[in-house]
């Protein structure tokens, strides 16, 4: 069995099984275009993500993911579902109790919240082209009024708010604090650089006393991403 799908709260979830399990597992949190369906997922259909998936499976990782209501931007209901998935996964699967997290883009915002919630139950975290701040993202989107309205409507739908109310909510709320003591790596591909997020990297490095690995890759070197992920995960598996 290569994968299994099931529903929680009408949302499809998927587990990707390796041929030779190592006992370690990875929760995958996708960007705003990520999806999981009954018989497929974004990671099964996209060649680049499929390459990451197969590479990690070859090293024995069991990966699991959820549709998470689509573009959720770290919404409370997505947070609740991800926690329920985490609990159910550990109850049903024979794996080490401390998981890795792999998140990209807007999914990183939810990953930051999970780091605060789960603490040392998370072994390590890898973020690809991450969004660390909704406020910074809002300021970036405001540069184009048409796309801003579309983006704000997307976030408002995720948080179940009216757009005007959602804008106020983002401006008045605090972005999640970056949890300490959880090893974290950021992989940033040049060209996809979220400039509005870039200055936050340095703030995180300072707050974590340098405990953050940053890897910058040229677009033509994207093929190195699976290796970078697996290497970092493996470095943080010495202690059970």
């Amino acid at each position: 069995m290569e994968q299994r799908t099931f529903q929680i709260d009408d949302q499809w979830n998927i587990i990707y099984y390796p041929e030779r399990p190592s006992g370690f597992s990875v929760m995958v949190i996708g960007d705003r275009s990520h999806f999981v369906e009954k018989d497929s997922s974004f990671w099964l259909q996209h060649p680049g993500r499929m390459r990451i998936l197969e590479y990690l499976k070859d090293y024995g990782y069991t990966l699991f993911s959820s549709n998470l209501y689509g573009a959720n931007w770290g919404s409370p209901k997505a947070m609740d579902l991800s926690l329920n998935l985490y609990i159910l996964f550990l109850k049903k699967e024979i794996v080490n109790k401390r998981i890795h997290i792999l998140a990209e883009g807007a999914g990183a915002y939810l990953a930051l919240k999970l780091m605060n919630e789960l603490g040392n139950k998370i072994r390590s975290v890898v973020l690809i082209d991450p969004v660390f701040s909704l406020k910074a993202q809002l300021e970036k989107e405001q540069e184009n009024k048409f796309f801003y309205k579309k983006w704000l409507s997307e976030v408002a739908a995720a948080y179940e708010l009216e757009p005007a109310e959602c804008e106020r909510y983002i401006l008045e709320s605090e972005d999640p604090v970056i949890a300490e003591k959880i090893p974290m790596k950021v992989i940033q591909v040049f060209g996809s650089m979220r400039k509005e997020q870039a200055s936050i990297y340095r703030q995180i490095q300072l707050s974590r006393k340098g405990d953050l690995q940053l890897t910058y890759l040229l677009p033509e070197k994207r093929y190195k991403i699976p290796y970078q992920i697996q290497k970092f995960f493996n470095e943080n598996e010495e202690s059970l």
Side-chain angles (χ1 to χ4, degrees), residues 229-240:
I229 296 168
Q230 185 276 327
K231 182 174 180 289
F232 186 75
F233 284 166
N234 183 248
E235 288 170 355
N236 291 286
E237 289 167 359
E238 293 182 4
S239 61
L240 297 179

Side-chain angles (χ1 to χ4, degrees), residues 157-175:
Y159 280 76
E160 300 179 323
L161 299 169
E162 292 299 320
E165 186 183 6
C166 183
E167 183 178 54
R168 197 160 51 246
Y169 170 81
I170 294 171
L171 291 171
E172 293 176 357
S173 62
E174 295 293 328
D175 289 316

Side-chain angles (χ1 to χ4, degrees), residues 2-58:
E2 289 194 15
Q3 58 258 347
R4 177 171 71 89
T5 58
F6 57 95
Q7 285 185 299
I8 301 176
D9 189 27
D10 81 12
Q11 294 295 295
W12 284 103
N13 308 273
I14 190 166
I15 300 175
Y16 307 98
Y17 294 100
E19 189 175 330
R20 295 178 294 278
S22 67
F24 293 108
S25 62
V26 183
M27 176 185 279
V28 176
I29 308 174
D31 202 353
R32 60 198 294 190
S33 59
H34 181 263
F35 65 85
V36 176
E37 299 173 341
K38 182 179 180 180
D39 299 311
S40 189
S41 72
F42 181 74
W43 276 53
L44 288 173
Q45 293 184 17
H46 188 282
R49 306 316 187 282
M50 182 69 167
R51 198 174 300 118
I52 296 173
L53 177 61
E54 290 300 326
Y55 190 91
L56 292 177
K57 283 171 59 180
D58 285 346

